[in-house]
Amino acid sequence: MSIRFYDTKQATTRDFVPLNEGKVGLYYCGATVQGMPHVGHVRSAIAFDILTRWLENRGYEVTVVRNVTDIDDKILEKSAASFGEGFEGDEDYFAREQWFALAYRFEQEFANAYDTLGVRRPTYEPRATGHITEMHQLIATLIERGHAYPALDDSHDVYFDVRSFPAYGSLTHQKVEDMQGAPDADPRGKRDPRDFALWKGNKPSDPATASWPSPWGAGRPGWHLECSAMVTKYLGTAFDIHGGGLDLRFPHHENEMAQSMAAGHDFANFWMHNGMVTYQGEKMSKSIGNTISPSEMLELASPRVVRYFLGQAHYRSQLDYRPDSLAEATAAVDRIDTFVANALDRIHGVAANEDFSIDMHHFEVTDAFAAAMNDDLNVPQALAALHDAVRQGNTALAAGELETADAAMQQVMAMTYALGLDDTIEAADAANSAHAAALDVLVAAQLADRAAARAAKDWARSDAIRDTLAAAGIVVEDSAEGARWSLKA
């Protein structure tokens, strides 16, 4: 049975045939690490994690590349804000959060969220700042081939000439004349307002550490350039699948494809895009307060349930969050886990949480599950097949048909494994979770008292609270966003 995927560029579902037999190269866009991960980031990562797992289930060796954009306008802006108004000189350099420290801090938050929700680490996870040389080479190639030019002013920017590439707009099926100009640089340096920046010249407001020398002047890379340079380094000039959120199709992926193909690269054979997450049918917006973050979801439900919810819709469709969504997902996961626990107990005489010598790689999913996943990764239909196997297994258990129930259990375990539901990080036990919650409440109260003391300039009380916490093995770190605490290593 062949695997078929929807290709955004060709706007059709077609057979997937890898460029190299038995191997698949997958690149999907990671985060710009300027803040905490939002639910859209996590949904995308889960979608492409499921894709990876299914390709591996079908026998492919998959090389996965997911980038980290660790230099960006917003990263610099947030770092600058941590210095406050009127900051002068370098005497407090290490007391402020430099842009690279901010980026690394949030990169770890993304890693923690992915790990908790069972998103496996990619084969390679390159950072933009580690690939400046490759970006310079790509820019030079584009200039040489007549597709890029240094800015017409003294900004030291370099732009891609969209009109020099006749296929520009083919990914999103647009005409150049219908597009608006890119807002990433002063249009006075461009030949055309739709041209986009490959290299951004250093501005007086930029920190010196956020600038690299180049043949066109000191500066930093444009956002679109980063992915083209990194995917080529790790997957070559032609690879199988490029993925990302639907919101990245334009301008990011359109520009990626244009600059790579203009440089003579075949680039991606398939383009796959996951849909957005909405809140009760509306676009999530902080300004109107209809948002929920991954961390908030994890306060309401277990990681296994949150992953089930975020992965349950077809990857191309909109996923709508409602207040009862996690309760519904909890019930669905409980039905699966209860059957498996009962089957393990009655058939094999072990509890579900005990070590049991089962190699799930030898288990086979049902034909219905495989047919659904092969049909453009149709997870809703695959979940229907999974729950059908649970129902059949429960019926067999009730009838005492243990051989049939055992076969159903193996199929259910194979299907949950293929969906990544077995790799989420759950709490070791309820007692540890309760202890951690109690400690967090107590420390938060102490930090609130300390903050009040500092506001009143009662430094003696502030220091006394800090010393008390330190004696208990709790380390307090002050930052622009308030005090953070951790247990002493």
Side-chain angles (χ1 to χ4, degrees), residues 331-403:
V333 171
D334 284 348
R335 285 195 295 272
I336 298 168
D337 292 347
T338 299
F339 162 65
V340 171
N342 289 340
L344 285 172
D345 180 43
R346 289 200 47 195
I347 300 166
H348 299 282
V350 298
N353 60 352
E354 291 181 22
D355 290 334
F356 185 54
S357 56
I358 286 182
D359 183 357
M360 284 185 285
H361 291 285
H362 294 158
F363 289 175
E364 295 292 337
V365 302
T366 66
D367 289 344
F369 183 94
M373 295 294 281
N374 285 338
D375 182 18
D376 193 28
L377 219 64
N378 193 332
V379 171
Q381 288 298 318
L383 286 172
L386 168 59
H387 286 286
D388 186 53
V390 168
R391 285 190 292 272
Q392 292 179 22
N394 281 325
T395 299
L397 279 178
E401 299 170 356
L402 299 188
E403 186 173 331

Side-chain angles (χ1 to χ4, degrees), residues 8 12 33 48 64 69 126 132 136 182 191 206 225 244 338 360-361 393 397 426 429 436 441 446 455 467 470 472 478:
T8 303
T12 190
V33 286
F48 290 104
V64 181
T69 297
I132 301 298
H136 287 172
R191 294 175 182 169
D206 291 342
L225 182 76
T338 299
M360 284 185 285
H361 291 285
L397 279 178
E426 308 294 339
D429 55 64
V441 170
Q446 290 288 300
D467 292 344
D478 293 310

Side-chain angles (χ1 to χ4, degrees), residues 415-432:
M415 289 184 278
T416 58
Y417 183 79
L419 294 172
L421 291 171
D422 298 309
D423 283 345
T424 59
I425 300 175
E426 308 294 339
D429 55 64
N432 285 342

